[in-house]
Each structure stands twice: as C-alpha cells, then as structure tokens.
Amino acid sequence: ARVVTFNVSQAYNCLIHFYKRQHSLMDLSAVYDRELELLGTHVDLCDRNSDKEEIRKYEIDNLQSDKVSSDKLAQNVDEAQKSYDDLLQKYTQQQDQQETTKGEVLEKQNRNLLEQLRKQKEDQKKVLARLDNVTGTIRDHLECPVCFDLPKTGPIPVCPNGHFVCTECKRDLCPKCRVKLEGGNSLLATDLLDFIPRECVFEDCPDSFLLSEYESHLKVCPHRLIKCPAVTCSTQVSFSKLIDHVLNYCTESVSDLEYCGSSAVFPVQLKMSFSQVSSSKKLKMSTFLFDDQYFFLNCARLDQNFNFTLHKLGQDPDCSQYGFSITVSKIDDKEFRLRFRGKPLSLEEFAYDDEFCAVLMDDEEFCGLFVDDKVMSMIYTVVDQNCVFNVDLEINKT
C-alpha cells in the first residue's frame, strides 16, 4: 500500500480554498436568483404593460362604439322629435280646420235659427194683429152704446135689430135704433165676453185681462186706488204710492222716522193729544215699520167713545201672523191704564166704491180699544188747553 502523507498547513489551505470556492458559488447563486427575480419582475411588468395596453385599447374601442351608438341614438331622437313636431303640426292644423268648420256650421245654424225666430215673430205679430182686429170688432159690437164699456156679466139684453146694451143702462127703448126692447138676451154675446181682454181700470196699470181674471186682478193690482188709512183723511191714492203719501203728504198723519225706520224698537210709547176746545177731538194717525211691514195706528172719537185701532198694509193671511197690544194711561200715573190685545186689521179688507176705490168695510173700520168719554176724562191731563195722555204700542210676530 501506498502511504500518503499530508501537511497540516496544506490541509488548512485546501479547506480555505474549498470554503472560498463554496462561498463564491453561493454568491453566484444569490446573484443568479436575484437576476431571475428581476427578470421575472421585468416579465411581469411587461405583461402588465401589455394588459394595460390591451385594456386601454379595449376601452378606446368601447368608447368609439359608445360614441357611434350615442350618435345613432341622438340621430334617432332628432328624427323622432321631428316626426312628433310634424304630427303635432298636422294635428293642430286638423284641429284648426275642425274648429273653423264647427264655427262655420254653428254660425250657419245660428243664422238659420235667427231667421226662423224672425219669421216666427213676424208670423206671431200677424196672428196677434188679426186677433186684435177680430177682438176689436167683437168689442165694438159688444160695447154698451150708453156707457161705452163692456158688460160686466151676462145676460146681455139685445133689441130685435141685434143691438146690445148692458143691464145697468137698459131702458124700454134701444139706445141705437129706438126700437122697443122686448126682453130678449143674447147667449152668444154672453159667451163672447169671456174671450175679450179688458183693460185694467186703474190709471197707471197697462195690463189687460180676460173676464175670468179681471176681478181677481182688481184686488191685487199694484196701482189700485185705496183710501188713505188715516181716518180723518179722505184722499184716494194709488196703492203703490200710499206710503209716500202717508209719510210725506198726508196732513192727518204723523211721519216720525224714528218709528218708520228699521231701527224702531218696540214697545213704543207715544204722547197723544187733542184740543180741549175742539168738538171733533181729532188725533193724527201714526205709522210704524215692523218686520218690514207697515202698521197704522188710528185714534178716533165716535159716538162719545175713543176708538184705538191698528191696521196693517197687507191681506188677511199676513195679518194673522202678527199680534199687538195697546195700552192707554195717564202721563204721571201708569197704575191707571186700559189695555187691549188682538190682531191687526187688514187694510185690504175692502169693498169697491163707485169709483173703484178700496174702502174699509163699516163693521171693521172701528174696532180695538174702546174708551168712554167719561173714562177718558179720567186718563188725560190738560196742558195748555190740550188733553195729553200716553199710548204704549207693542207689535210682535206670532
């Protein structure tokens, strides 16, 4: 066997060289690893840059595609707006044409209707004119030759020659031909009376009425003549002018606006007086306004009695809705007093006189509180030759 001998120093050098080489190799490996890592990073960066480019390119493509779509959409919207505007214009034109057509049709219809109404009015006027001629002719034949008025009712006397005369003016001989009236009556003339319009007898009334409506109209005609409600006044005045007469012209009435206005408060206390030396002992009428209705208080001396009455301007159904009380007392002593309660009388409870004037009926003209002359002398107080006393009036709605 071959014996190999080593020097220790040589051995150490060998180890040192071995370790140096080993360390160098490790350094090279680390460098290599780092290079690989850098290379990988570079590759990753390249890959990423490539992806970004692709993404950017994709986004650009999408944006271009969106722009193209947006342009097409805008073009479509413009076309749709244009189509809508065209349709709206056509619709507006059609509506205008229809309105124009409707207006022309309506105007034509209105012209036709107006023409028809004009013709109807003309025809109506012609018919009324013929009717007036007929009724005028009949009226001329039926008028009484004495009073020149239509008979108020049948029978209508007629002479043998056919002349008519009313019953009030009938005599032995016919007023036209002087032939003796033999008691004959015309049934035809009596029937024709119902179809002849009669003019209202009151001056300010322009209306005409058939016989069936004539009498009822006379009772409610706003221009009917009526006697002044003041007992001592004999004036006849139109109903429509009665209040004006009472408040402004009647010398037998007290027109105190305190009691005739809407501010009047009831009960009302009045001081009445009459002359001690006068035999008539006249007292003026007082007018009151209550619930928009006029009331008239009269005090008159009749057959040695003082009579206090209250009338209302209106008909009986209206009067039944109201009540009143009259109290007569001394000025300085109200313990001694006389009182009456009742309902006001209607100023429309009337009859017609010969001149068609409404007058109060005799049995209703004086009613209410009656005071004997002797009792009245115990109530009034003489002041300067005037007999003064109190009258309390209360009006209420029942």
Side-chain angles (χ1 to χ4, degrees), residues 160-175:
N161 293 324
H163 300 135
F164 303 109
V165 64
C166 64
T167 54
E168 290 82 0
C169 300
K170 180 184 176 182
R171 301 294 183 266
D172 293 336
L173 300 178
C174 174

Side-chain angles (χ1 to χ4, degrees), residues 269-272 308 326-339 369 371 374-383 386-392:
Q269 185 177 87
L270 304 173
K271 277 189 178 181
M272 289 191 172
F308 298 87
I326 298 177
T327 304
V328 179
S329 61
K330 293 177 67 70
I331 293 179
D332 54 354
D333 184 9
K334 291 190 177 182
E335 294 298 326
F336 185 75
R337 59 186 179 180
L338 300 174
R339 176 178 293 177
L369 177 62
V371 183
K374 293 183 179 180
V375 178
M376 197 67 189
S377 64
M378 300 170 60
I379 295 176
Y380 62 72
T381 301
V382 179
V383 179
N386 287 322
C387 303
V388 185
F389 57 94
N390 284 336
V391 175
D392 293 330

